[in-house]
Amino acid sequence: MHVTFRCPKCEQIARDEVSAESKALVCRACGLNLTIPADAFEQDAKSGRKLTRCLACPSTDLFARKDFPQRLGVTIVILGFAASCVTWYYHWLYPTFAVLFATALIDLLLYFFCGNALMCYACGAIYRDEAVQNDDRPFDLTVHERYRQQAIRLKEKARG
């Protein structure tokens, strides 16, 4: 399993490979070893090992998302919208709808061909592997907002 996480010591983005025999996540920048908890994985009938908690922080709140850069997706949609506005301005009806349908088709193809990744609500660690491809834990806005508000309160407390 490939893990991308922010090191709690040096604040650098770190990447590590975790196997069944791994005992710790290692930050290559500062050498920090984060011990992998014994209860981090459970056996799943269809996919083998299933991740039950974050390996980089103590959180058990994970969600599945598409493993695709969101900024690139938004850029594709904005470019499609801008191109359709230009064709609409010149009263080119069929090219306008062709651009809009092409943008929607690109989005649909990316949705089907991109795999899934698990992400931690608390620290933002991302887990990529064949085992997480079929994980279907949905995003929960309530849980996300709880962690967002907690981070805001901790920043305010640290400032003053």
mmCIF file of all heavy atoms in Angstrom, residues 48-70:
data_model
loop_
_atom_site.group_PDB
_atom_site.id
_atom_site.type_symbol
_atom_site.label_atom_id
_atom_site.label_comp_id
_atom_site.label_asym_id
_atom_site.label_seq_id
_atom_site.Cartn_x
_atom_site.Cartn_y
_atom_site.Cartn_z
ATOM 1 N N GLY A 48 -9.103 -9.068 1.156
ATOM 2 C CA GLY A 48 -7.943 -9.367 1.993
ATOM 3 C C GLY A 48 -7.874 -8.443 3.186
ATOM 4 O O GLY A 48 -8.756 -8.446 4.037
ATOM 5 N N ARG A 49 -6.828 -7.614 3.237
ATOM 6 C CA ARG A 49 -6.672 -6.679 4.352
ATOM 7 C C ARG A 49 -7.476 -5.415 4.093
ATOM 8 O O ARG A 49 -7.487 -4.887 3.001
ATOM 9 C CB ARG A 49 -5.206 -6.291 4.522
ATOM 10 C CG ARG A 49 -4.347 -7.392 4.991
ATOM 11 C CD ARG A 49 -2.948 -6.966 5.314
ATOM 12 N NE ARG A 49 -2.454 -5.864 4.482
ATOM 13 C CZ ARG A 49 -1.451 -5.077 4.834
ATOM 14 N NH1 ARG A 49 -0.853 -5.260 5.982
ATOM 15 N NH2 ARG A 49 -1.036 -4.114 4.048
ATOM 16 N N LYS A 50 -8.136 -4.926 5.147
ATOM 17 C CA LYS A 50 -8.890 -3.679 5.055
ATOM 18 C C LYS A 50 -8.347 -2.714 6.106
ATOM 19 O O LYS A 50 -8.207 -3.067 7.269
ATOM 20 C CB LYS A 50 -10.379 -3.930 5.294
ATOM 21 C CG LYS A 50 -11.218 -2.683 5.174
ATOM 22 C CD LYS A 50 -12.695 -2.978 5.337
ATOM 23 C CE LYS A 50 -13.486 -1.697 5.217
ATOM 24 N NZ LYS A 50 -14.911 -1.917 5.371
ATOM 25 N N LEU A 51 -8.041 -1.487 5.666
ATOM 26 C CA LEU A 51 -7.525 -0.464 6.560
ATOM 27 C C LEU A 51 -8.666 0.055 7.432
ATOM 28 O O LEU A 51 -9.706 0.464 6.931
ATOM 29 C CB LEU A 51 -6.920 0.678 5.740
ATOM 30 C CG LEU A 51 -6.161 1.750 6.495
ATOM 31 C CD1 LEU A 51 -4.929 1.162 7.164
ATOM 32 C CD2 LEU A 51 -5.749 2.853 5.542
ATOM 33 N N THR A 52 -8.478 0.039 8.750
ATOM 34 C CA THR A 52 -9.535 0.468 9.666
ATOM 35 C C THR A 52 -9.242 1.801 10.335
ATOM 36 O O THR A 52 -10.129 2.399 10.921
ATOM 37 C CB THR A 52 -9.761 -0.573 10.779
ATOM 38 O OG1 THR A 52 -8.536 -0.753 11.497
ATOM 39 C CG2 THR A 52 -10.246 -1.884 10.207
ATOM 40 N N ARG A 53 -7.990 2.269 10.259
ATOM 41 C CA ARG A 53 -7.618 3.526 10.889
ATOM 42 C C ARG A 53 -6.425 4.116 10.153
ATOM 43 O O ARG A 53 -5.747 3.441 9.406
ATOM 44 C CB ARG A 53 -7.297 3.331 12.359
ATOM 45 C CG ARG A 53 -6.165 2.353 12.595
ATOM 46 C CD ARG A 53 -5.737 2.265 14.006
ATOM 47 N NE ARG A 53 -5.119 3.522 14.376
ATOM 48 C CZ ARG A 53 -4.958 3.920 15.612
ATOM 49 N NH1 ARG A 53 -5.371 3.170 16.591
ATOM 50 N NH2 ARG A 53 -4.383 5.064 15.886
ATOM 51 N N CYS A 54 -6.198 5.394 10.406
ATOM 52 C CA CYS A 54 -5.082 6.093 9.784
ATOM 53 C C CYS A 54 -3.777 5.603 10.397
ATOM 54 O O CYS A 54 -3.694 5.376 11.605
ATOM 55 C CB CYS A 54 -5.243 7.606 9.973
ATOM 56 S SG CYS A 54 -3.946 8.578 9.184
ATOM 57 N N LEU A 55 -2.758 5.468 9.565
ATOM 58 C CA LEU A 55 -1.453 5.024 10.046
ATOM 59 C C LEU A 55 -0.583 6.187 10.511
ATOM 60 O O LEU A 55 0.397 5.989 11.218
ATOM 61 C CB LEU A 55 -0.720 4.250 8.947
ATOM 62 C CG LEU A 55 -1.454 3.054 8.364
ATOM 63 C CD1 LEU A 55 -0.634 2.423 7.267
ATOM 64 C CD2 LEU A 55 -1.822 2.052 9.433
ATOM 65 N N ALA A 56 -0.946 7.408 10.110
ATOM 66 C CA ALA A 56 -0.137 8.579 10.443
ATOM 67 C C ALA A 56 -0.659 9.349 11.654
ATOM 68 O O ALA A 56 0.060 10.168 12.216
ATOM 69 C CB ALA A 56 -0.071 9.516 9.240
ATOM 70 N N CYS A 57 -1.908 9.118 12.041
ATOM 71 C CA CYS A 57 -2.492 9.794 13.203
ATOM 72 C C CYS A 57 -3.454 8.821 13.890
ATOM 73 O O CYS A 57 -3.752 7.772 13.343
ATOM 74 C CB CYS A 57 -3.198 11.091 12.784
ATOM 75 S SG CYS A 57 -4.775 10.857 11.944
ATOM 76 N N PRO A 58 -3.986 9.158 15.048
ATOM 77 C CA PRO A 58 -4.855 8.208 15.761
ATOM 78 C C PRO A 58 -6.295 8.140 15.254
ATOM 79 O O PRO A 58 -7.121 7.468 15.843
ATOM 80 C CB PRO A 58 -4.813 8.707 17.212
ATOM 81 C CG PRO A 58 -4.375 10.107 17.154
ATOM 82 C CD PRO A 58 -3.583 10.282 15.903
ATOM 83 N N SER A 59 -6.625 8.794 14.170
ATOM 84 C CA SER A 59 -8.008 8.853 13.689
ATOM 85 C C SER A 59 -8.465 7.531 13.074
ATOM 86 O O SER A 59 -7.696 6.823 12.429
ATOM 87 C CB SER A 59 -8.137 9.964 12.642
ATOM 88 O OG SER A 59 -9.425 9.958 12.087
ATOM 89 N N THR A 60 -9.742 7.235 13.261
ATOM 90 C CA THR A 60 -10.358 6.070 12.610
ATOM 91 C C THR A 60 -11.319 6.508 11.512
ATOM 92 O O THR A 60 -12.006 5.674 10.942
ATOM 93 C CB THR A 60 -11.126 5.211 13.633
ATOM 94 O OG1 THR A 60 -12.114 6.032 14.260
ATOM 95 C CG2 THR A 60 -10.196 4.624 14.667
ATOM 96 N N ASP A 61 -11.367 7.801 11.225
ATOM 97 C CA ASP A 61 -12.291 8.339 10.235
ATOM 98 C C ASP A 61 -11.595 8.462 8.885
ATOM 99 O O ASP A 61 -10.741 9.323 8.679
ATOM 100 C CB ASP A 61 -12.812 9.715 10.674
ATOM 101 C CG ASP A 61 -13.679 9.630 11.909
ATOM 102 O OD1 ASP A 61 -14.444 8.648 12.015
ATOM 103 O OD2 ASP A 61 -13.594 10.522 12.765
ATOM 104 N N LEU A 62 -11.970 7.568 7.964
ATOM 105 C CA LEU A 62 -11.432 7.548 6.605
ATOM 106 C C LEU A 62 -12.584 7.601 5.612
ATOM 107 O O LEU A 62 -13.686 7.154 5.916
ATOM 108 C CB LEU A 62 -10.619 6.280 6.368
ATOM 109 C CG LEU A 62 -9.458 6.004 7.316
ATOM 110 C CD1 LEU A 62 -8.925 4.600 7.095
ATOM 111 C CD2 LEU A 62 -8.363 7.015 7.115
ATOM 112 N N PHE A 63 -12.323 8.135 4.426
ATOM 113 C CA PHE A 63 -13.340 8.122 3.371
ATOM 114 C C PHE A 63 -12.690 7.813 2.033
ATOM 115 O O PHE A 63 -11.496 8.045 1.828
ATOM 116 C CB PHE A 63 -14.106 9.447 3.314
ATOM 117 C CG PHE A 63 -13.294 10.632 2.871
ATOM 118 C CD1 PHE A 63 -13.286 11.030 1.547
ATOM 119 C CD2 PHE A 63 -12.550 11.362 3.780
ATOM 120 C CE1 PHE A 63 -12.548 12.129 1.140
ATOM 121 C CE2 PHE A 63 -11.816 12.467 3.387
ATOM 122 C CZ PHE A 63 -11.809 12.850 2.061
ATOM 123 N N ALA A 64 -13.477 7.262 1.131
ATOM 124 C CA ALA A 64 -13.001 6.929 -0.209
ATOM 125 C C ALA A 64 -13.289 8.090 -1.148
ATOM 126 O O ALA A 64 -14.322 8.746 -1.059
ATOM 127 C CB ALA A 64 -13.694 5.669 -0.708
ATOM 128 N N ARG A 65 -12.335 8.353 -2.040
ATOM 129 C CA ARG A 65 -12.502 9.389 -3.058
ATOM 130 C C ARG A 65 -11.788 8.927 -4.312
ATOM 131 O O ARG A 65 -10.994 7.990 -4.281
ATOM 132 C CB ARG A 65 -11.969 10.723 -2.588
ATOM 133 C CG ARG A 65 -10.484 10.728 -2.384
ATOM 134 C CD ARG A 65 -9.933 12.092 -2.164
ATOM 135 N NE ARG A 65 -8.732 12.176 -2.986
ATOM 136 C CZ ARG A 65 -8.147 13.281 -3.319
ATOM 137 N NH1 ARG A 65 -8.621 14.418 -2.930
ATOM 138 N NH2 ARG A 65 -7.079 13.268 -4.055
ATOM 139 N N LYS A 66 -12.055 9.596 -5.409
ATOM 140 C CA LYS A 66 -11.366 9.280 -6.645
ATOM 141 C C LYS A 66 -9.920 9.738 -6.548
ATOM 142 O O LYS A 66 -9.634 10.819 -6.048
ATOM 143 C CB LYS A 66 -12.050 9.941 -7.845
ATOM 144 C CG LYS A 66 -13.332 9.259 -8.246
ATOM 145 C CD LYS A 66 -13.029 7.865 -8.724
ATOM 146 C CE LYS A 66 -14.275 7.134 -9.126
ATOM 147 N NZ LYS A 66 -13.982 5.768 -9.519
ATOM 148 N N ASP A 67 -9.022 8.927 -7.031
ATOM 149 C CA ASP A 67 -7.603 9.245 -6.988
ATOM 150 C C ASP A 67 -7.240 10.061 -8.229
ATOM 151 O O ASP A 67 -6.598 9.585 -9.154
ATOM 152 C CB ASP A 67 -6.782 7.968 -6.925
ATOM 153 C CG ASP A 67 -5.336 8.219 -6.582
ATOM 154 O OD1 ASP A 67 -5.025 9.348 -6.154
ATOM 155 O OD2 ASP A 67 -4.518 7.292 -6.740
ATOM 156 N N PHE A 68 -7.704 11.308 -8.226
ATOM 157 C CA PHE A 68 -7.527 12.210 -9.353
ATOM 158 C C PHE A 68 -7.362 13.623 -8.820
ATOM 159 O O PHE A 68 -8.067 14.008 -7.892
ATOM 160 C CB PHE A 68 -8.762 12.135 -10.267
ATOM 161 C CG PHE A 68 -8.656 12.957 -11.505
ATOM 162 C CD1 PHE A 68 -7.891 12.530 -12.569
ATOM 163 C CD2 PHE A 68 -9.315 14.170 -11.599
ATOM 164 C CE1 PHE A 68 -7.784 13.291 -13.710
ATOM 165 C CE2 PHE A 68 -9.219 14.934 -12.741
ATOM 166 C CZ PHE A 68 -8.446 14.494 -13.799
ATOM 167 N N PRO A 69 -6.455 14.412 -9.376
ATOM 168 C CA PRO A 69 -6.273 15.780 -8.886
ATOM 169 C C PRO A 69 -7.525 16.627 -9.112
ATOM 170 O O PRO A 69 -7.969 16.800 -10.249
ATOM 171 C CB PRO A 69 -5.101 16.324 -9.708
ATOM 172 C CG PRO A 69 -4.494 15.157 -10.392
ATOM 173 C CD PRO A 69 -5.499 14.066 -10.421
ATOM 174 N N GLN A 70 -8.105 17.141 -8.045
ATOM 175 C CA GLN A 70 -9.342 17.912 -8.155
ATOM 176 C C GLN A 70 -9.149 19.190 -8.947
ATOM 177 O O GLN A 70 -10.039 19.609 -9.676
ATOM 178 C CB GLN A 70 -9.882 18.230 -6.768
ATOM 179 C CG GLN A 70 -10.360 17.008 -6.039
ATOM 180 C CD GLN A 70 -10.844 17.313 -4.638
ATOM 181 O OE1 GLN A 70 -10.549 18.361 -4.077
ATOM 182 N NE2 GLN A 70 -11.599 16.389 -4.072
#
